[in-house]
Amino acid sequence: MVKYVIAGIIILIVVLFLLWCLHQKKQGLCPICTLKQFVCKSKLTIRIPGNEFYNGGDAPTPPMGWSSWNSFRNNIDENLIYDTAVALKESGLAEAGYKYVNLDDCWHSSVRDENGCLQGDLSLFSSGIDTLCAKINALGLKMGLYSSNGDYTCEDLPASLGYEKKDADTFARWGVEYFKYDFCHNVKIPSVAPLVEKVEIRMGEKTINLVSDDAKLSGLACINNDKRLESGKYISFLGQGKGKAEFNLDCEKNGSYPLTLVVKKSGRYTKYLIVQVNDKFYEMFFPETKAWSTVGRYQCEVELNKGENRIALFNPVCTRADSAYIQYKRMGEALRNASPDKPITYSICEWGRNNPKNWAWNAGNLWRTTPDIRPYWKWINIIYNKNLALAEFAGPGHWNDPDMLEVGNGKLTVDENRTHFSLWCMMSAPLILGNDIRKYNVDSNDDVLEILKNRQMIAIDQDELGHQCVRYKRTSKADWLVKKLSGNRHAVCIYNRTSKLTELSFNSSDLPAEITQISEYTEVWSNKKYKGQAFKIAVNPHGCAVFVSK
Ligand code: GAL
């Protein structure tokens, strides 16, 4: 009896699976590809040609500044921001290199203005973001803003998905020079493509119709019959990066022309298609279908050249990473175009969810590699480990971002503050302060201020080679990191992971072979000189020693 029940269940599962496959096929989807998505969710499947780094922003070395989030969350206003900017100057932090004053979430109003532009919180930033930016600039500092690659920010305020150009233009108009783009309320670009009956191009008095028989199809793309359509045929399987339809079109003169896609209506889900005309890309979105008609008309304006043109239709989005990449790149391009003369450094913040190491260097200047930082040692240590493994992806103009600093926050000890800062500098991380700095002036005799202003440590972070350190030795007690520096020098950081004072040794013969052996070092935090190939040092709990070679 049990045997029959099990056999029945198995047969039912198989039948349901086959029905599901058939349903997928009917919708123009590839069932195997859909299944694959569950297995390798965030793998980028779009090919990025060559090693094309993002060519906007200004980040030859890791950006340095301050952000409102870690200390103030949603409690910010224009006075707090301006006072912080003044404190950056008065404390000497600005002179040490911290130049961005970044407003994180909650700087803006829940309503866009009458032109559809974002605007500062109407009462907390009542003088206007442009005025605040001008005041910050007058101090010799730069302003940064924040939004999310979604319908709303993480604090549920209006965000920039679908408004990329408008918002980038607004930020540029205000004089913004740093932009952090979060991932809350993100809406994935659909992997499904519409079923295309024909492409219509209006040229003066005549309309050119390109139908399925005119197309060169590749991948899984294929032609299907449907008597209800005027041409009796449509193209399917253009989705999930698996199929493409290409057409040739002759045009009499250069110009902008309306292109209409006539699509067979199908499915209660949204669809997406890229229309590539020569080397330009046009994104098209299609709503879920609830209509009675068999076909719908969807339009965009495209640039055509005199002579032969190539039109390609495809949807390259297979995974969530593909979608994130396209959306982040869209904003990067909008920022670059909006402000060509005053570059906006572009910080991607999707918490390392979509494997940004595979694409973010092509879309922006820096990208978060981890979930949000917290001012607890255990958590900082986890974040450090995650980011450390990504050394090969960092370099001038494109940086791994293990999140903003918590130095001076929570109950971190002096050693923990020092180590946190040292590890971030060794990893060529952006140095965005997260503490309340309004209490400092140049004379403040404060451990935290001294740490953040340590010139030797900052120089390690800002070294022009832009190498992120690697761990060359690890024991149950400590990590040994080395970072190549310009001028044939290097820095070694010995980090005591234990909560006990520990004697640790440095031996230059342990260093990786490509590091030029040098036997004269200065320890950054004590400023003591060390000579010789090997020496021992007692390191405090969660503390570190950082040696810079001569
Ligand atoms: C998080 C982000 C934080 C902060 C916050 C604002 O997603 O990682 O750094 O920006 O949103 O709501």
Side-chain angles (χ1 to χ4, degrees), residues 444-463:
S444 307
N445 192 7
D446 186 288
D447 289 330
V448 169
L449 189 61
E450 251 170 44
I451 293 171
L452 296 175
K453 288 203 312 191
N454 187 298
R455 298 290 169 130
Q456 292 187 74
M457 213 56 244
I458 292 175
I460 292 176
D461 180 75
Q462 296 288 303
D463 187 81

Side-chain angles (χ1 to χ4, degrees), residues 269-288:
Y269 41 82
T270 52
K271 301 155 207 91
Y272 174 78
L273 198 69
I274 290 183
V275 177
Q276 181 182 357
V277 181
N278 304 318
D279 56 359
K280 287 219 167 81
F281 296 85
Y282 305 87
E283 293 185 88
M284 291 184 79
F285 290 86
F286 305 81
E288 58 175 60

Side-chain angles (χ1 to χ4, degrees), residues 128-362:
I129 302 295
D130 50 348
T131 308
L132 181 60
C133 185
K135 281 172 72 183
I136 290 173
N137 290 167
L139 294 170
L141 300 170
K142 302 175 179 218
M143 196 178 85
L145 277 187
Y146 160 100
S147 183
S148 182
N149 188 352
D151 290 339
Y152 298 95
T153 69
C154 300
E155 290 286 335
D156 308 327
L157 287 164
S160 301
L161 184 62
Y163 292 86
E164 292 83 358
K165 183 174 173 344
K166 186 171 251 333
D167 292 353
D169 287 348
T170 307
F171 303 148
R173 184 157 40 81
W174 289 340
V176 166
E177 290 173 85
Y178 187 100
F179 177 66
K180 171 174 166 185
Y181 204 29
D182 220 324
F183 202 56
C184 284
H185 293 280
N186 177 262
V187 183
K188 181 181 171 278
I189 298 176
S191 310
V192 188
L195 307 170
V196 178
E197 190 204 351
K198 60 180 172 174
V199 183
E200 255 183 44
I201 290 127
R202 184 77 180 173
M203 288 180 176
E205 291 302 299
K206 56 180 190 208
T207 300
I208 313 277
N209 280 313
L210 302 169
V211 292
S212 33
D213 284 339
D214 299 324
K216 184 180 145 241
L217 301 179
S218 51
L220 297 182
C222 60
I223 298 180
N224 307 67
N225 298 318
D226 187 336
K227 282 198 222 103
R228 292 172 305 155
L229 303 178
E230 195 186 294
S231 69
K233 291 177 187 170
Y234 65 92
I235 304 170
S236 67
F237 281 94
L238 294 174
Q240 292 174 320
K242 300 289 185 275
K244 203 180 222 181
E246 288 168 279
F247 303 88
N248 287 327
L249 173 73
D250 271 329
C251 180
E252 277 165 16
K253 59 173 192 271
N254 289 346
S256 172
Y257 296 85
L259 176 148
T260 306
L261 279 186
V262 179
V263 310
K264 176 179 140 138
K265 298 227 171 207
S266 73
R268 290 207 164 190
Y269 41 82
T270 52
K271 301 155 207 91
Y272 174 78
L273 198 69
I274 290 183
V275 177
Q276 181 182 357
V277 181
N278 304 318
D279 56 359
K280 287 219 167 81
F281 296 85
Y282 305 87
E283 293 185 88
M284 291 184 79
F285 290 86
F286 305 81
E288 58 175 60
T289 288
K290 285 186 182 154
W292 295 104
S293 314
T294 320
V295 293
R297 296 169 61 78
Y298 297 90
Q299 305 189 311
C300 64
E301 282 283 320
V302 299
E303 295 291 323
L304 293 175
N305 300 330
K306 180 167 187 257
E308 199 178 48
N309 293 272
R310 206 177 62 93
I311 301 180
L313 310 180
F314 58 98
N315 175 349
V317 178
C318 192
T319 63
R320 206 180 58 193
D322 295 328
S323 165
Y325 167 54
I326 291 177
Q327 293 166 330
Y328 274 105
K329 194 172 164 66
R330 195 191 295 150
M331 182 49 111
E333 276 166 15
L335 292 168
R336 201 185 46 218
N337 294 337
S339 195
D341 302 329
K342 200 176 181 190
I344 303 178
T345 296
Y346 180 29
S347 152
I348 292 173
C349 173
E350 51 71 82
W351 322 298
R353 282 246 185 112
N354 303 284
N355 260 322
K357 63 176 200 263
N358 293 338
W359 52 267
W361 39 268
N362 177 262

